[in-house]
Every structure is written in C-alpha cells, then in structure tokens.
DNA sequence: CGGCCCCATACCGAGACGGTATGGGCGCGC
DNA sequence: GCGCGCCCATACCGTCTCGGTATGGGGCCG
C-alpha cells in the first residue's frame, strides 16, 4: 500500500469513473486500473463494483476512502509542521493535530 | 514523500545509525542514505545531524518522526478496518479511529 | 441494431530502486 | 602521533516497477 494508491482510490471514489480520475491525477487510465487492482489483491478485498456506468465503491472501498482522506491530510500536515520547525525558528512542538 | 521514506526516518531515529536501520528494514545502507537525502531535499530541511558516531535527528527530524509514527499506525489501522469490513460480514462502520 | 462509453489487457520504453564496490572523515586505542 | 575501525557518502550497474500507447470486450442508450 502506498500513498499514491490511497490518493487514487479517493479520486476514483469522488469522480466515479477511471477516466475522470486519471485526468485529475495527471496520468492515464490503464495505470490507474493496475493501481487499484494491485491494492485490491494486496488487501484481498474488492474495493469497487465495476459496472458499465463506472466504478462504485463497495462497503470496504468506502471505509478505505474515509481512512485514506485522513492519512493524506496527516501527511500534508506533517510536511507543513516539519518546514515550520526548521524554516524560521528552531523549536516547535509536534503539531500535525488538525487531522480529520 | 512516501510511506517508505517515513518508515526509514522512524527506524533511523530509533537505531541511531544507518547500518542498523538498514538491517532492520532488510535493505542495504546506500539506498537508505539516498532515501533520507531525497526526503531532506524534497522538504528543504535537514532531518539528521551526521556525526562520526551516527545520525541524530534535528528538531525538524524529531517532529517528522513523531508525525510519521502516527501516519504509519493509521495506514495499518486502515488496512485492518478494510479487511474487517469485507472479510466476515458485509457491514461495518468506519472505524480507523485509534490513530496516534 | 448501431454507436458510444468505460474498464481490462498487451506490449514497450523510461525512470526509479536496490545491490556491490569504493572513498573520505572522525573518534579511539596503542 | 599514528594506525585502526566505524560510519556515512558516492559511483556504477542490473533489475524491476511505473507510465504511455494501442487494442479488445462488454453493457447501456438511442
């Protein structure tokens, strides 16, 4: 599991189709297919229901999307905290707090 | 920034030297050097002080280690939640809560 | 029934990742 | 003061994953 894959899952869930998600992620559709399938195989769980209309998240997929949003936000917050800690001054408490 | 790099930073901070951290991560020392340097350049911040004795985290490094621990725990919790959601039964509330 | 949209697969090239070998720097013991 | 050992940094190379293009199969709509 990688942050890349989590971002992919979140975007697909938001867009509903691989093509639109791929456009938003600045990649092509086939790599996205592989990313999702790889994650599904790694977890041993189907994350999306494929239909002729697009992809709809399964209950497991929905759960993962919710968790992934928090994780991605935490990563971003961590980067900000680290830069804050060394950029201007040299002392800051750990403050990635604003998660979820 | 990748989960791999976060894991590396945490392990290095715990072990104090690249060699011991590399052993724990089942990789070699040179790739670890590159991982850390890449992350430092990406953030524009020095994460460790290199001395003849080993590597000691800077304040920024310490901050990142703390955040990284929470993120990695959240990722693990997410995987568990997803599997729980689809493994036995088909309905579970989103419960990655125990983070940090 | 024809057309369209969407996902899946096959194949290929480039970039990233990891491993081995080697060098430079510093502290410690003799 | 000098040699030794530890540790991080760099150079080079093989492999493997990742992304892109081209193509196929399937279902819904008009």
């Amino acid at each position: 599991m990688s942050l890349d894959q989590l971002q992919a899952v979140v975007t697909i869930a938001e867009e509903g189709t691989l093509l639109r998600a791929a456009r938003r992620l600045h990649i092509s559709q086939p790599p996205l297919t592989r990313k999702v399938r790889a994650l599904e195989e790694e977890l041993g769980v189907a994350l999306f229901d494929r239909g002729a209309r697009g992809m709809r998240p399964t209950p497991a997929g929905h759960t993962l999307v919710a968790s992934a949003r928090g994780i991605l936000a935490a990563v971003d917050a961590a980067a900000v905290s680290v830069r804050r800690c060394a950029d201007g001054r040299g002392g800051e408490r750990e403050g990635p707090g604003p998660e979820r």
Side-chain angles (χ1 to χ4, degrees), chain A residues 65-76:
Chain A
V65 168
S67 302
R69 284 204 176 101
I71 291 165
L72 294 170
V75 169
D76 192 52

Side-chain angles (χ1 to χ4, degrees), chain A residues 78-92:
Chain A
V80 170
S81 292
V82 169
R83 286 209 181 87
R84 250 242 189 83
C85 189
D87 193 25
R89 47 261 166 74
E92 166 137 349

Side-chain angles (χ1 to χ4, degrees), chain A residues 21-33:
Chain A
R23 299 250 270 248
R24 179 176 284 187
L25 295 170
H26 307 295
I27 64 174
S28 216
Q29 171 256 318
L32 246 186
T33 299

